[in-house]
Amino acid sequence: MKALYFAWVRERIGLAEEEIAPPREVVTVRELIEWLSARDEGYAAAFANPATIRTALDKTHAAPDAPIGAAREIAFFPPMTGG
């Protein structure tokens, strides 16, 4: 699965994108964020407050309890504002 990171999420992690292979027991967006947070300090800082993270699975917005299933791409970004 390709993980894409935007704005300050990207800055804290230090990557714009990467290929990830979460373990089988990681089945929801929330669990994926928890798994990523445990990788190192940058991920922990990026996902310190999961309520501020928005996600999209295969370019469709996804809630924290959404199943990852066979998604090929997940994007993580802060809330956006218009203007």
Side-chain angles (χ1 to χ4, degrees), residues 4-65:
L4 305 172
Y5 308 110
F6 295 94
W8 54 259
V9 178
R10 177 186 63 235
E11 292 169 9
R12 292 175 185 169
I13 291 172
L15 296 170
E17 65 181 61
E18 66 178 324
E19 288 292 325
I20 59 173
R24 282 193 180 108
E25 60 269 12
V26 173
V27 296
T28 66
V29 169
R30 179 180 290 111
E31 291 169 345
L32 182 60
I33 289 173
E34 291 169 1
W35 177 74
L36 287 168
S37 294
R39 293 179 92 180
D40 73 25
E41 293 175 5
Y43 291 93
F47 297 117
N49 186 357
T52 63
I53 302 293
R54 301 296 178 260
T55 58
L57 290 169
D58 292 332
K59 298 183 171 70
T60 300
H61 284 272
D65 60 347

